[in-house]
Short mmCIF file of all heavy atoms in Angstrom, two decimals:
data_model
loop_
_atom_site.label_atom_id
_atom_site.label_comp_id
_atom_site.label_asym_id
_atom_site.label_seq_id
_atom_site.Cartn_x
_atom_site.Cartn_y
_atom_site.Cartn_z
N GLY F 7 45.64 -43.37 33.27
CA GLY F 7 45.98 -42.02 33.52
C GLY F 7 44.86 -41.07 33.76
O GLY F 7 45.12 -39.93 34.12
N ARG F 8 43.64 -41.54 33.63
CA ARG F 8 42.57 -40.71 33.83
C ARG F 8 41.95 -40.80 35.28
O ARG F 8 40.97 -40.13 35.50
CB ARG F 8 41.44 -40.99 32.73
CG ARG F 8 41.79 -40.89 31.31
CD ARG F 8 42.80 -39.76 30.99
NE ARG F 8 43.03 -39.52 29.62
CZ ARG F 8 43.89 -40.04 28.84
NH1 ARG F 8 44.90 -40.80 29.28
NH2 ARG F 8 44.03 -39.66 27.52
N THR F 9 42.62 -41.50 36.06
CA THR F 9 42.05 -41.70 37.44
C THR F 9 43.25 -41.53 38.38
O THR F 9 44.49 -41.42 37.99
CB THR F 9 41.51 -43.08 37.66
OG1 THR F 9 42.53 -44.02 37.82
CG2 THR F 9 40.53 -43.56 36.64
N GLU F 10 42.95 -41.51 39.65
CA GLU F 10 44.01 -41.35 40.70
C GLU F 10 44.63 -42.83 40.92
O GLU F 10 45.62 -42.88 41.57
CB GLU F 10 43.39 -40.93 42.01
CG GLU F 10 42.38 -41.91 42.62
CD GLU F 10 41.75 -41.42 43.95
OE1 GLU F 10 42.54 -41.09 44.97
OE2 GLU F 10 40.52 -41.15 44.00
N HIS F 11 44.12 -43.86 40.25
CA HIS F 11 44.62 -45.09 40.34
C HIS F 11 45.53 -45.62 39.26
O HIS F 11 45.84 -46.85 39.11
CB HIS F 11 43.36 -46.12 40.46
CG HIS F 11 42.53 -45.80 41.54
ND1 HIS F 11 42.75 -45.80 42.83
CD2 HIS F 11 41.10 -45.36 41.41
CE1 HIS F 11 41.72 -45.33 43.54
NE2 HIS F 11 40.63 -45.09 42.66
N SER F 12 45.98 -44.63 38.43
CA SER F 12 46.79 -45.07 37.37
C SER F 12 47.68 -43.96 36.75
O SER F 12 47.40 -42.70 37.02
CB SER F 12 45.96 -45.61 36.16
OG SER F 12 45.18 -44.61 35.62
N TRP F 13 48.88 -44.35 36.30
CA TRP F 13 49.85 -43.30 35.77
C TRP F 13 50.45 -43.99 34.41
O TRP F 13 50.54 -45.09 34.28
CB TRP F 13 51.10 -43.31 36.73
CG TRP F 13 50.70 -42.93 38.09
CD1 TRP F 13 50.96 -41.66 38.61
CD2 TRP F 13 50.15 -43.77 39.17
NE1 TRP F 13 50.46 -41.62 39.99
CE2 TRP F 13 49.96 -42.93 40.26
CE3 TRP F 13 49.69 -45.09 39.16
CZ2 TRP F 13 49.44 -43.35 41.48
CZ3 TRP F 13 49.20 -45.49 40.43
CH2 TRP F 13 49.09 -44.69 41.53
N CYS F 14 50.62 -43.01 33.38
CA CYS F 14 51.01 -43.53 32.08
C CYS F 14 51.59 -42.41 31.21
O CYS F 14 51.49 -41.28 31.53
CB CYS F 14 49.83 -44.15 31.29
SG CYS F 14 48.71 -42.82 30.67
N VAL F 15 52.39 -42.89 30.18
CA VAL F 15 52.66 -41.98 29.09
C VAL F 15 51.84 -42.58 27.85
O VAL F 15 51.45 -43.68 27.79
CB VAL F 15 54.13 -41.98 28.78
CG1 VAL F 15 54.96 -41.40 29.94
CG2 VAL F 15 54.69 -43.42 28.56
N GLU F 16 51.49 -41.54 27.06
CA GLU F 16 50.57 -41.84 25.93
C GLU F 16 50.97 -41.13 24.62
O GLU F 16 51.48 -40.00 24.77
CB GLU F 16 49.18 -41.42 26.46
CG GLU F 16 48.09 -41.45 25.48
CD GLU F 16 46.80 -41.03 25.98
OE1 GLU F 16 46.32 -41.71 26.95
OE2 GLU F 16 46.31 -39.91 25.50
N TRP F 17 50.83 -41.76 23.63
CA TRP F 17 50.95 -41.22 22.24
C TRP F 17 49.65 -41.27 21.50
O TRP F 17 49.15 -42.37 21.23
CB TRP F 17 52.09 -41.95 21.38
CG TRP F 17 52.19 -41.35 20.05
CD1 TRP F 17 51.64 -41.85 18.92
CD2 TRP F 17 53.16 -40.33 19.67
NE1 TRP F 17 52.10 -41.10 17.87
CE2 TRP F 17 52.98 -40.25 18.30
CE3 TRP F 17 53.90 -39.55 20.37
CZ2 TRP F 17 53.60 -39.18 17.61
CZ3 TRP F 17 54.59 -38.52 19.69
CH2 TRP F 17 54.44 -38.40 18.29
N LEU F 18 48.96 -40.16 21.30
CA LEU F 18 47.63 -40.02 20.69
C LEU F 18 47.21 -38.68 20.46
O LEU F 18 47.90 -37.78 20.88
CB LEU F 18 46.69 -40.74 21.59
CG LEU F 18 45.27 -41.11 20.97
CD1 LEU F 18 45.36 -42.08 19.89
CD2 LEU F 18 44.24 -41.62 21.99
N GLY F 19 46.17 -38.63 19.80
CA GLY F 19 45.59 -37.22 19.60
C GLY F 19 45.80 -36.66 18.18
O GLY F 19 46.53 -37.21 17.43
N PRO F 20 45.08 -35.61 17.74
CA PRO F 20 45.15 -35.10 16.38
C PRO F 20 46.57 -34.69 16.10
O PRO F 20 46.98 -34.65 14.93
CB PRO F 20 44.13 -33.98 16.42
CG PRO F 20 43.81 -33.72 17.78
CD PRO F 20 44.18 -34.88 18.68
N LYS F 21 47.30 -34.07 17.09
CA LYS F 21 48.63 -33.64 16.86
C LYS F 21 49.69 -34.66 17.05
O LYS F 21 50.90 -34.42 16.97
CB LYS F 21 48.95 -32.47 17.78
CG LYS F 21 48.00 -31.24 17.56
CD LYS F 21 48.25 -30.10 18.48
CE LYS F 21 47.28 -28.87 18.23
NZ LYS F 21 47.55 -27.87 19.12
N LYS F 22 49.25 -35.79 17.37
CA LYS F 22 50.29 -37.04 17.65
C LYS F 22 51.41 -36.52 18.48
O LYS F 22 52.49 -36.37 18.04
CB LYS F 22 50.76 -37.53 16.34
CG LYS F 22 49.68 -38.15 15.48
CD LYS F 22 49.13 -39.46 16.12
CE LYS F 22 48.19 -40.18 15.15
NZ LYS F 22 47.33 -41.20 15.89
N GLN F 23 51.08 -36.23 19.82
CA GLN F 23 52.09 -35.80 20.66
C GLN F 23 52.21 -36.77 21.90
O GLN F 23 51.28 -37.44 22.27
CB GLN F 23 51.84 -34.49 21.16
CG GLN F 23 50.37 -34.31 21.82
CD GLN F 23 49.97 -32.81 21.83
OE1 GLN F 23 50.49 -31.96 21.21
NE2 GLN F 23 49.02 -32.65 22.66
N LEU F 24 53.38 -36.75 22.60
CA LEU F 24 53.62 -37.52 23.74
C LEU F 24 53.21 -36.75 24.94
O LEU F 24 53.51 -35.59 25.19
CB LEU F 24 55.16 -37.86 23.75
CG LEU F 24 55.53 -38.93 24.81
CD1 LEU F 24 54.98 -40.33 24.39
CD2 LEU F 24 57.03 -38.98 24.90
N SER F 25 52.47 -37.48 25.82
CA SER F 25 52.01 -36.94 27.07
C SER F 25 52.06 -37.82 28.19
O SER F 25 52.10 -39.06 28.07
CB SER F 25 50.49 -36.52 26.88
OG SER F 25 50.25 -35.66 25.90
N ALA F 26 52.16 -37.35 29.41
CA ALA F 26 52.11 -38.11 30.67
C ALA F 26 50.80 -37.73 31.32
O ALA F 26 50.33 -36.66 31.22
CB ALA F 26 53.29 -37.72 31.60
N TRP F 27 50.17 -38.81 31.88
CA TRP F 27 48.80 -38.69 32.39
C TRP F 27 48.70 -39.28 33.80
O TRP F 27 49.19 -40.33 34.06
CB TRP F 27 47.80 -39.36 31.54
CG TRP F 27 47.46 -38.71 30.26
CD1 TRP F 27 47.96 -38.80 29.16
CD2 TRP F 27 46.30 -37.82 30.02
NE1 TRP F 27 47.36 -38.10 28.19
CE2 TRP F 27 46.32 -37.41 28.67
CE3 TRP F 27 45.32 -37.19 30.80
CZ2 TRP F 27 45.45 -36.50 28.11
CZ3 TRP F 27 44.48 -36.35 30.24
CH2 TRP F 27 44.46 -35.94 28.85
N HIS F 28 48.01 -38.52 34.70
CA HIS F 28 47.64 -39.03 36.03
C HIS F 28 46.46 -38.15 36.58
O HIS F 28 46.48 -36.88 36.37
CB HIS F 28 48.81 -38.99 37.00
CG HIS F 28 48.35 -39.37 38.43
ND1 HIS F 28 47.86 -40.59 38.74
CD2 HIS F 28 48.50 -38.65 39.57
CE1 HIS F 28 47.62 -40.56 39.97
NE2 HIS F 28 47.98 -39.46 40.56
N LYS F 29 45.46 -38.73 37.16
CA LYS F 29 44.26 -38.00 37.69
C LYS F 29 43.75 -37.14 36.56
O LYS F 29 43.18 -36.04 36.84
CB LYS F 29 44.64 -37.12 38.85
CG LYS F 29 44.95 -37.92 40.07
CD LYS F 29 45.22 -36.90 41.28
CE LYS F 29 45.41 -37.60 42.59
NZ LYS F 29 45.66 -36.73 43.68
N ASP F 30 43.66 -37.61 35.35
CA ASP F 30 43.06 -36.87 34.18
C ASP F 30 43.72 -35.61 33.93
O ASP F 30 43.22 -34.67 33.33
CB ASP F 30 41.57 -36.67 34.41
CG ASP F 30 40.90 -36.63 33.11
OD1 ASP F 30 41.38 -37.14 32.08
OD2 ASP F 30 39.70 -36.04 33.05
N GLN F 31 45.04 -35.44 34.39
CA GLN F 31 45.78 -34.26 34.07
C GLN F 31 46.91 -34.61 33.11
O GLN F 31 47.70 -35.48 33.31
CB GLN F 31 46.35 -33.64 35.30
CG GLN F 31 45.23 -33.14 36.22
CD GLN F 31 45.76 -32.50 37.53
OE1 GLN F 31 46.98 -32.67 37.88
NE2 GLN F 31 44.99 -31.75 38.18
N GLU F 32 46.95 -33.83 32.03
CA GLU F 32 47.99 -34.16 30.97
C GLU F 32 49.20 -33.16 31.10
O GLU F 32 48.94 -31.96 31.30
CB GLU F 32 47.24 -33.91 29.60
CG GLU F 32 48.21 -34.18 28.39
CD GLU F 32 47.58 -33.89 27.09
OE1 GLU F 32 46.56 -33.08 27.04
OE2 GLU F 32 47.97 -34.47 26.11
N THR F 33 50.41 -33.82 30.99
CA THR F 33 51.58 -33.02 30.89
C THR F 33 52.16 -33.37 29.58
O THR F 33 52.50 -34.45 29.26
CB THR F 33 52.64 -33.53 32.07
OG1 THR F 33 51.98 -33.37 33.33
CG2 THR F 33 53.88 -32.65 31.96
N LEU F 34 52.25 -32.31 28.68
CA LEU F 34 52.91 -32.53 27.35
C LEU F 34 54.47 -32.63 27.56
O LEU F 34 55.04 -31.92 28.33
CB LEU F 34 52.68 -31.27 26.51
CG LEU F 34 51.21 -31.09 26.00
CD1 LEU F 34 51.06 -29.85 25.28
CD2 LEU F 34 50.67 -32.30 25.27
N LEU F 35 54.95 -33.65 26.82
CA LEU F 35 56.40 -33.99 27.09
C LEU F 35 57.38 -33.46 26.06
O LEU F 35 58.54 -33.61 26.25
CB LEU F 35 56.58 -35.56 27.16
CG LEU F 35 55.76 -36.12 28.32
CD1 LEU F 35 56.04 -37.60 28.41
CD2 LEU F 35 56.13 -35.58 29.63
N GLN F 36 56.98 -32.79 24.96
CA GLN F 36 57.78 -32.31 23.90
C GLN F 36 59.00 -33.21 23.52
O GLN F 36 60.07 -32.84 23.34
CB GLN F 36 58.43 -31.00 24.41
CG GLN F 36 57.38 -29.97 24.97
CD GLN F 36 56.47 -29.55 23.90
OE1 GLN F 36 56.80 -29.37 22.83
NE2 GLN F 36 55.09 -29.34 24.21
N LYS F 37 58.60 -34.45 23.28
CA LYS F 37 59.63 -35.45 22.96
C LYS F 37 59.07 -36.25 21.62
O LYS F 37 57.85 -36.27 21.41
CB LYS F 37 59.84 -36.55 23.93
CG LYS F 37 60.19 -35.98 25.27
CD LYS F 37 61.61 -35.84 25.51
CE LYS F 37 61.87 -35.54 27.03
NZ LYS F 37 62.82 -34.68 27.37
N ASP F 38 59.88 -36.75 20.91
CA ASP F 38 59.52 -37.59 19.71
C ASP F 38 58.80 -38.89 20.19
O ASP F 38 59.02 -39.33 21.32
CB ASP F 38 60.74 -37.96 18.88
CG ASP F 38 61.25 -36.66 18.23
OD1 ASP F 38 60.53 -35.73 17.91
OD2 ASP F 38 62.46 -36.62 17.84
N LYS F 39 58.11 -39.51 19.29
CA LYS F 39 57.46 -40.71 19.55
C LYS F 39 58.51 -41.87 19.89
O LYS F 39 59.41 -42.02 19.09
CB LYS F 39 56.64 -41.28 18.35
CG LYS F 39 55.86 -42.56 18.60
CD LYS F 39 55.25 -42.95 17.33
CE LYS F 39 54.68 -44.48 17.51
NZ LYS F 39 54.14 -44.90 16.30
#
């Protein structure tokens, strides 16, 4: 998710939140794990 060559959803971080990542851009998903 940190490059133009990959796409992902991720659960991580101090707040333990769900995000979508592509090109190093994070989209918070506001969903449970």
Side-chain angles (χ1 to χ4, degrees):
R8 302 325 193 262
T9 72
E10 64 181 302
H11 307 297
S12 62
W13 300 259
C14 74
V15 292
E16 176 180 293
W17 178 265
L18 189 65
K21 295 181 182 176
K22 296 293 183 192
Q23 56 197 15
L24 191 66
S25 301
W27 286 88
H28 175 59
K29 289 186 178 179
D30 207 22
Q31 294 182 343
E32 180 181 26
T33 302
L34 294 176
L35 299 181
Q36 306 299 322
K37 309 268 195 222
D38 292 333
K39 177 186 175 185

